[in-house]
Amino acid sequence: MRIGRTLPPAASPITSIDFLRGIAAIFQGQQRIKRFDEEVKRYFDVPHCFLLSSGKAALTIILRSLHDLYPERYEVVIPAYNCYSVPSAITRAGLTVTPCDIDPQTLDFNFDHLSSLFLSNRKKILAVVPAHFFGLPSDIPRLRKISPDPEITIIEDAAQAMGGATGGKKLGTLGDAGFYSLGRGKAFSTVEGGIIITGNTELAGRIRQYYSQVQDYDLAETGKLIINALLLVFFQHPLFFWFPKGLPFLNLGETIYDPDFKIKKLSPFQAGLAAAWQEKLAAFMRQRNKKTGMMEELLDGGIFLDAAGTSKASLIRLPIVVHDLEKRKRILAESNRLGLGVMPTYPAPVNCIDELQYLHAEREFTAAREMCEKIITLPVHPFVTGKDVHKITSIVNANEKI
Ligand SMILES: *Cc1c(COP(=O)(O)O)cnc(C)c1O
């Protein structure tokens, strides 16, 4: 275990001031939540917003509501390269995961594969959930164009893309509904949290019915949240991050399949942590864009994820593809030794999840598997210094030559 300055792979800092605002908000209660809700609606220019305990809770509620509207539809199409929270939410909603392979150039859907899924499963598909991985925009207009049926709902997974935009439109507002995550390591964080936004009145009506039955955080859960926020104030800082990183029970950086997660309404404490979120989000994005630009400048060519304008997207981690698996292993080992926060992403495509037995006979998702094996991400968050940028890019470049 490394002891000493260690960069987290991603971070949206929570300061001690934020923490105190969170505590103050506990005494303001619902009023504080209402304010956050209004701010979200205004910022994204959407009529409906629902605040929850996580991105996966948000997705579960959207899916349950949709299934009420279209009870004969039950399949949810997702990129096979994905965060395991997404299939967890689909299972939790009582629905079926239908993976689609990805385009390794963009991490977006492989649109040929998607078209053939539409052809064969048209009447069964409830929703398609495109994701803006790391902040790289998925092509929602193209998805809408090839979707054969207006009853198939597009739910935008903007968990990693809060604040990002494409073609002058904010990510999360291009689909029929969208959701954000406020978890640790996302674009902006309140320890944990999720936001649903939609302009669809019928869907919003259903969501509101479910939402009214969702419980608030109880006292013990609020206590745990407060402790975790306090831990984040200290341990997310590079000077102390080596400590939680060495504690295996925190499951840092792991992506796990578990449909048994809590679904709660966002608490006043979290709404308080989110005070001045628009300014903070903008400042984080400026920082990340600056570091992304510096890295792109310093990295030797040829290893970039050639996505739809990587340089224009607002990324939470900079993904690069390293084709030589030995090199990739060396970069990760070196980063680990030096505490530089370079990380792999998802362990395997979603069809490989043990619990999803019904997917095991599925075809291989070749590009998704390849990207699980080849992508590493470089940290670009506000704690990354210019010196870090040089160290990180030099271990990546050096391994090119070994
Ligand atoms: C983090 C994440 C989620 C889930 O958000 P949580 O708040 O962690 O539940 C969903 N999709 C993607 C792509 C994510 O990165």
Side-chain angles (χ1 to χ4, degrees):
M1 186 182 118
R2 180 187 157 82
I3 296 181
R5 189 172 185 280
T6 301
L7 290 170
S12 297
I14 295 176
T15 64
S16 46
I17 305 279
D18 297 331
F19 180 80
L20 293 176
R21 283 171 167 160
I23 297 292
I26 295 174
F27 300 97
Q28 297 173 303
Q30 286 310 308
Q31 202 189 324
R32 197 65 199 68
I33 306 220
K34 183 113 179 54
R35 189 166 126 199
F36 186 33
D37 177 276
E38 296 290 337
E39 286 168 357
V40 170
K41 284 192 281 203
R42 204 170 329 121
Y43 180 85
F44 291 108
D45 193 20
V46 287
H48 312 286
C49 159
F50 303 90
L51 303 171
L52 289 143
S53 50
S54 66
K56 50 195 171 285
L59 178 57
T60 305
I61 301 283
I62 299 172
L63 289 172
R64 281 185 184 159
S65 308
L66 269 181
H67 190 50
D68 283 356
L69 296 176
Y70 306 105
E72 73 292 352
R73 295 174 178 271
Y74 56 90
E75 283 189 14
V76 183
V77 179
I78 62 170
Y81 174 88
N82 220 324
C83 173
Y84 287 7
S85 296
V86 171
S88 303
I90 296 170
T91 303
R92 180 67 177 270
L95 302 167
T96 310
V97 176
T98 301
C100 175
D101 209 355
I102 58 163
D103 177 343
Q105 299 290 305
T106 60
L107 305 185
D108 202 352
F109 286 117
N110 173 327
F111 283 92
D112 292 334
H113 186 203
L114 188 60
S115 298
S116 68
L117 280 175
F118 279 145
L119 268 182
S120 52
N121 299 17
R122 176 174 168 177
K123 288 287 163 206
K124 293 187 275 182
I125 297 173
L126 176 70
V128 188
V129 189
H132 308 299
F133 294 111
F134 313 110
L136 298 167
S138 162
D139 193 345
I140 311 284
R142 182 168 177 194
L143 168 58
R144 208 179 278 288
K145 217 175 284 165
I146 67 160
S147 177
D149 197 326
E151 288 195 359
I152 296 176
T153 304
I154 298 175
I155 305 171
E156 232 179 307
D157 180 347
Q160 305 185 13
M162 192 176 183
T166 183
K169 293 208 171 112
K170 291 202 168 79
L171 300 179
T173 66
L174 293 105
D176 301 306
F179 67 96
Y180 303 99
S181 167
L182 303 177
R184 202 185 40 207
K186 305 294 171 143
F188 170 75
S189 177
T190 57
V191 185
E192 58 189 27
I195 300 175
I196 298 173
I197 56 169
T198 181
N200 181 319
T201 307
E202 194 188 13
L203 175 59
R206 283 285 162 169
I207 295 176
R208 189 161 295 112
Q209 285 179 9
Y210 274 108
Y211 190 73
S212 67
Q213 294 160 25
V214 174
Q215 305 277 308
D216 289 316
Y217 280 74
D218 64 27
L219 211 57
E221 287 163 339
T222 307
K224 205 171 148 198
L225 201 58
I226 292 172
I227 290 168
N228 284 339
L230 201 54
L231 289 174
L232 276 182
V233 170
F234 293 102
F235 290 123
Q236 210 170 29
H237 194 280
L239 283 180
F240 304 109
F241 185 71
W242 58 271
F243 181 68
K245 189 167 185 265
L247 298 176
F249 61 85
L250 282 181
N251 290 329
L252 284 175
E254 273 185 31
T255 178
I256 47 165
Y257 176 81
D258 179 13
D260 194 24
F261 49 86
K262 73 169 182 284
I263 299 182
K264 300 277 165 155
K265 286 179 178 154
L266 192 92
S267 67
F269 174 67
Q270 288 158 301
L273 286 180
W277 64 277
Q278 296 163 56
E279 290 81 359
K280 277 192 282 181
L281 183 58
F284 294 164
M285 281 166 48
R286 265 197 311 277
Q287 285 287 327
R288 293 186 187 116
N289 293 348
K290 183 175 145 205
K291 269 97 193 217
T292 303
M294 285 167 73
M295 288 198 181
E296 288 183 328
E297 193 90 345
L298 288 166
L299 285 167
D300 294 343
I303 46 174
F304 270 109
L305 190 61
D306 181 25
T310 309
S311 49
K312 278 175 245 109
S314 201
L315 304 175
I316 56 167
R317 291 150 72 171
L318 173 60
I320 63 173
V321 178
V322 183
H323 290 285
D324 183 327
L325 298 186
E326 283 305 312
K327 271 184 201 162
R328 181 177 180 273
K329 224 189 271 172
R330 277 200 298 270
I331 294 169
L332 288 168
E334 190 90 328
S335 161
N336 221 19
R337 194 170 64 76
L338 300 170
L340 295 177
V342 181
M343 289 291 274
T345 63
Y346 310 125
V350 295
N351 64 308
C352 299
I353 295 171
D354 284 341
E355 290 87 343
L356 299 180
Q357 288 288 335
Y358 60 92
L359 292 179
H360 294 181
E362 281 257 355
R363 56 181 281 271
E364 267 284 299
F365 298 90
T366 326
R369 172 175 296 283
E370 195 189 337
M371 289 303 105
C372 289
E373 287 167 357
K374 291 184 173 174
I375 290 182
I376 55 175
T377 66
L378 313 184
V380 292
H381 52 75
F383 291 129
V384 177
T385 63
K387 207 166 144 191
D388 292 326
V389 168
H390 280 92
K391 281 194 213 164
I392 292 163
T393 50
S394 74
I395 65 164
V396 174
N397 288 340
N399 277 290
E400 283 281 273
K401 287 185 214 102
I402 287 170

